[in-house]
Amino acid sequence: MEWKGIGAAPGFAMGPAFLLQRDEVKVERRSLSREEAGTESKRFDEKVAVAIVELERIRENAKQKLGEQEAEIFSAHILVLQDPEYIGAVKEKIQTEQVNAEAALQEVTDSFVELFESMENEYMRERAADIRDVSNRVMQRLAGISETSMDDFAEPVVLLAHDLTPSDTAQLDREKVAGFATDIGGRTSHSAIMARSMEIPAVVGLREITAHLKTGDYLILDGQSGIVLVNPQPEVIREYRQKADQYAAQQAEYKKLKDEPSLTADGLQVELAANIGNPQDAVGAVRNGAEGVGLYRTEFLYMGRDTLPTEEEQFEAYKAVAETFGKDHPIVIRSLDIGGDKELPYLDLQKELNPFLGYRAIRLCLDRSDIFKTQLRAILRASVYGNIKLMYPMIASLQELRAANRVLEEVKQELKRDKISFREKMEVGMMIEVPAAAIIADQLAKEVDFFSIGTNDLIQYTMAVDRMNEKISYLYQPFNPAVLRLIKTVIDAAHREGKWAGMCGEMAGNKTAIPILLGMGLDEFSMSASSILPARALLRKLNKPDMQSLAETVLQMDAAEEIKRYVEREVPAVKE
Ligand code: PEP
Ligand code: MG
């Protein structure tokens, strides 16, 4: 069987499927006879015992991989299952009310959770989540869903999930996950972007693959074409092994360009930078020949945890990235861009109908200046360790830009007062990802040091197409004339003010887009680490004047498909 989705991160993954299940069990209340209630209570005891054994195993694993402290959470979970008040209350309910274990467990859990959540003490409130978590585990065992672990497989698995949040993706274990496939998502969903940084082959937007496959099915995943093959014949496996070998050989060829400059055929130098999400990615970026960081998505520092990162933690992370690259390489740190598909549960933000149009990024930072200032302090402090630049996301008006700069100025004054050093001349730029900003780029260019075009959002807002929605992904068109014209407007506006213009949306690493962008005069291309060397190989075959006339021609065309076909015909190297 063959499934076709959206190729999200290139490469081939082959291995057993591992279906990530996190559906809650539907509980029905059933009355029992006195005798049945006795057996039910024993059944409950057995499942609790199974859950404890599982948790002990998870705790051991966590201790080895993450350390003693991180493993403690599982000790707390085990204690919940050994708590006579909690477990005793469930058993008593089974006996006295003569009900099934699932119903008794749910009712007792609900009352415990309610009690803990109403407590003043934050520590106790957090225990409510532990109880919920642990009861889900027991509930699954009662429902006959056994826990298969990735550890049960000798080889790395292909992970199948309805969706993976960015923080799920960040926590994937490269040794155990050969690739992943999801029902929903698009090429610019953040889990797809992260897969490219982490160099994990991935296919997204497969619609309902998880409803049809099961753990243990053998899969071949092609992250380039977006194809997933299920239980293929041996000859097909052989064919794909060959393809994977060819891919590896091509990657090895690219690696030879790692320390070469990013020059066009006529000797023009452009900058090829990486998009990163954490200091670890910076190491991968250097390995892939990045000349700097064009986008550090700092929000990942805030995710997968229960509290905001401190100034010190942030400072250490920013400094680590600067040190990985060395003093001269530019590191563009973007201030917090939370919202959209990047959630922070501990901020307790209201659910919104249109999160991509909502309370996110700079809007949240200007409202929560406590969070914003802590981050700006950390960035400024790190600025003495490298060529760090600050960039604001989602700016839609001059007023927002000025407001952000006012907060920055306040933070600078505070640091001066405290005699803490920072680089006074740190460049400050902004992303162009809202069409309004692109249209007034001439005004904005006067008040920034640089622009970086965020096409992931710019396309979604220009075309009014949700970047996460696979049903309308046909409208998500980087080559749409409207998008290309906006990009040109932005680059020209920057240049007229003597400023540089970069691009950190995924389009910057798209081989068919690169000739057009070069022709339009883009100065910096920032992309997933894995796209850098293929982009460098392509640039070496391009000639600036030719690309300028190519860009002029495509700007007069009226359809995305026509533009793509034209570039592919004129510049065959984009298909290599
Ligand atoms: C963009 O919108 O193009 C961008 C780079 O930001 P993000 O993908 O994090 O929204
Ligand atoms: Mg964006």
Side-chain angles (χ1 to χ4, degrees):
M1 201 191 341
E2 177 175 322
W3 290 77
K4 176 90 178 80
I6 300 169
F12 294 87
M14 301 184 194
F18 183 83
L19 187 60
L20 197 65
Q21 277 174 322
R22 33 183 168 210
D23 297 345
E24 289 196 6
V25 177
K26 276 213 174 65
V27 175
E28 277 172 34
R29 200 174 209 275
R30 280 183 294 113
S31 301
L32 307 175
S33 68
R34 187 167 297 280
E35 232 167 63
E36 283 170 331
T39 330
E40 188 69 352
S41 183
K42 280 206 199 85
R43 185 170 79 95
F44 176 66
D45 273 339
E46 281 164 19
K47 301 301 175 192
V48 170
V50 167
I52 291 178
V53 171
E54 288 172 2
L55 284 166
E56 281 169 346
R57 194 190 64 220
I58 296 174
R59 179 177 59 187
E60 236 0 85
N61 264 342
K63 203 192 280 177
Q64 276 165 22
K65 275 217 232 96
L66 307 169
E68 195 86 41
Q69 209 178 347
E70 268 72 12
E72 270 317 292
I73 175 84
F74 301 107
S75 300
H77 284 190
I78 292 170
L79 280 181
V80 172
L81 289 183
Q82 289 168 337
D83 179 359
E85 280 198 38
Y86 176 53
I87 297 300
V90 179
K91 285 168 52 170
E92 185 168 329
K93 203 175 199 46
I94 296 174
Q95 297 287 0
T96 55
E97 298 184 22
Q98 295 181 350
V99 286
N100 55 324
E102 287 89 340
L105 175 62
Q106 184 167 60
E107 289 165 22
V108 171
T109 302
D110 285 347
S111 63
F112 269 66
V113 166
E114 199 179 319
L115 177 73
F116 278 84
E117 278 179 345
S118 66
M119 291 184 180
E120 285 289 314
N121 181 324
E122 191 178 332
Y123 175 81
M124 296 311 272
R125 282 204 306 274
E126 281 169 11
R127 298 290 70 76
D130 291 344
I131 296 174
R132 183 69 75 207
D133 212 352
V134 170
S135 84
N136 278 344
R137 176 175 293 276
V138 178
M139 197 67 92
Q140 301 240 339
R141 299 308 156 263
L142 285 167
I145 303 171
S146 71
E147 187 197 54
T148 28
S149 143
M150 287 188 206
D151 295 331
D152 298 340
F153 293 91
E155 53 187 316
V157 299
V158 178
L159 188 67
L160 291 176
H162 176 64
D163 184 22
L164 279 184
T165 64
S167 68
D168 291 333
T169 313
Q171 288 167 48
L172 290 182
D173 183 343
R174 291 301 325 270
E175 310 239 308
K176 292 198 181 131
V177 179
F180 71 79
T182 58
D183 289 339
I184 69 166
R187 240 190 89 77
T188 59
S189 324
H190 282 95
S191 45
I193 291 172
M194 291 180 72
R196 291 196 284 281
S197 291
M198 295 164 76
E199 299 174 60
I200 299 183
V203 178
V204 299
L206 286 149
R207 291 167 187 241
E208 46 185 39
I209 192 167
T210 56
H212 291 84
L213 303 196
K214 57 183 187 313
T215 294
D217 280 334
Y218 189 86
L219 301 186
I220 295 179
L221 176 150
D222 175 353
Q224 182 74 44
S225 65
I227 285 174
V228 177
L229 301 173
V230 187
N231 298 323
Q233 297 297 318
E235 63 268 20
V236 178
I237 298 181
R238 270 197 299 280
E239 180 197 325
Y240 270 86
R241 288 228 166 93
Q242 261 177 11
K243 285 191 184 189
D245 288 346
Q246 277 163 9
Y247 178 76
Q250 193 192 33
Q251 294 304 105
E253 222 19 67
Y254 284 144
K255 287 275 168 235
K256 295 183 185 158
L257 294 175
K258 176 178 164 292
D259 298 314
E260 295 294 318
S262 303
L263 291 177
T264 59
D266 54 329
L268 176 85
Q269 178 130 26
V270 294
E271 189 190 329
L272 289 185
N275 294 348
I276 64 166
N278 56 48
Q280 197 50 37
D281 289 348
V283 179
V286 170
R287 207 177 47 235
N288 279 284
E291 289 154 337
V293 171
L295 168 63
Y296 180 173
R297 287 187 168 93
T298 57
E299 44 280 6
F300 294 113
L301 206 67
Y302 293 66
M303 293 159 76
R305 47 189 295 152
D306 299 328
T307 51
L308 287 164
T310 61
E311 177 184 322
E312 210 51 37
E313 279 175 78
Q314 296 191 51
F315 165 71
E316 288 299 338
Y318 306 151
K319 179 173 158 230
V321 171
E323 287 178 342
T324 300
F325 273 88
K327 273 245 174 239
D328 299 329
H329 297 264
I331 309 290
V332 179
I333 302 184
R334 176 173 77 181
S335 60
L336 181 63
D337 181 8
I338 215 65
D341 62 336
K342 293 174 286 196
E343 297 177 354
L344 279 193
Y346 58 84
L347 280 188
D348 260 343
L349 301 177
Q350 271 179 1
K351 277 258 168 262
E352 297 181 321
L353 274 180
N354 290 303
F356 274 106
L357 299 182
Y359 184 65
R360 60 171 289 203
I362 197 70
R363 304 167 183 187
L364 182 146
C365 284
L366 290 176
D367 185 42
R368 291 289 308 267
S369 57
D370 52 330
I371 298 178
F372 194 30
K373 279 181 148 182
T374 305
Q375 180 170 43
L376 294 179
R377 273 179 77 95
I379 295 174
L380 281 164
R381 282 176 53 201
S383 69
V384 292
Y385 292 90
N387 183 5
I388 285 180
K389 304 168 198 276
L390 166 68
M391 171 162 83
Y392 305 126
M394 283 290 289
I395 296 278
S397 70
L398 256 174
Q399 290 65 41
E400 276 176 332
L401 172 64
R402 289 177 184 156
N405 276 334
R406 274 198 299 277
V407 181
L408 180 66
E409 199 42 49
E410 273 174 45
V411 176
K412 284 184 173 179
Q413 293 311 325
E414 286 170 19
L415 287 175
K416 277 188 195 154
R417 198 192 52 216
D418 299 344
K419 304 218 169 1
I420 297 175
S421 56
F422 63 91
R423 203 152 47 84
E424 183 71 64
K425 291 214 156 51
M426 178 179 76
E427 280 188 32
V428 180
M430 57 170 276
M431 294 192 65
I432 300 269
E433 42 190 351
V434 179
I439 293 164
I440 58 160
D442 56 334
Q443 298 175 329
L444 293 162
K446 294 187 169 53
E447 303 192 25
V448 292
D449 293 314
F450 64 91
F451 286 147
S452 183
I453 307 171
T455 46
N456 303 343
D457 279 318
L458 187 63
I459 298 167
Q460 87 164 338
Y461 297 135
T462 304
M463 301 299 296
V465 55
D466 180 348
R467 66 195 258 191
M468 303 282 291
N469 189 335
E470 68 285 353
K471 285 209 190 90
I472 45 169
S473 61
Y474 71 95
L475 260 181
Y476 193 89
Q477 298 175 347
F479 297 91
N480 187 281
V483 174
L484 293 179
R485 287 181 185 198
L486 281 181
I487 293 171
K488 179 78 166 85
T489 307
V490 174
I491 299 173
D492 287 348
H495 289 171
R496 269 197 297 274
E497 294 299 327
K499 312 291 167 68
W500 62 269
M503 178 178 285
C504 60
E506 291 301 306
M507 189 173 172
N510 177 321
K511 281 188 168 178
T512 309
I514 288 172
I516 306 177
L517 299 170
L518 178 73
M520 287 182 179
L522 193 74
D523 304 292
E524 177 238 35
F525 298 67
S526 190
M527 58 194 73
S528 310
S530 54
S531 303
I532 293 174
L533 293 175
R536 183 168 296 154
L538 171 62
L539 273 173
R540 294 160 79 87
K541 299 182 179 145
L542 306 180
N543 189 308
K544 176 78 188 275
D546 290 350
M547 296 309 117
Q548 263 168 330
S549 54
L550 176 110
E552 275 161 30
T553 309
V554 301
L555 280 169
Q556 298 314 313
M557 292 183 168
D558 57 16
E561 273 311 312
E562 183 195 0
I563 293 173
K564 266 202 288 191
R565 272 200 305 273
Y566 179 76
V567 176
E568 285 165 8
R569 202 173 55 236
E570 291 297 307
V571 191
V574 303
K575 292 303 269 178
E576 284 170 9

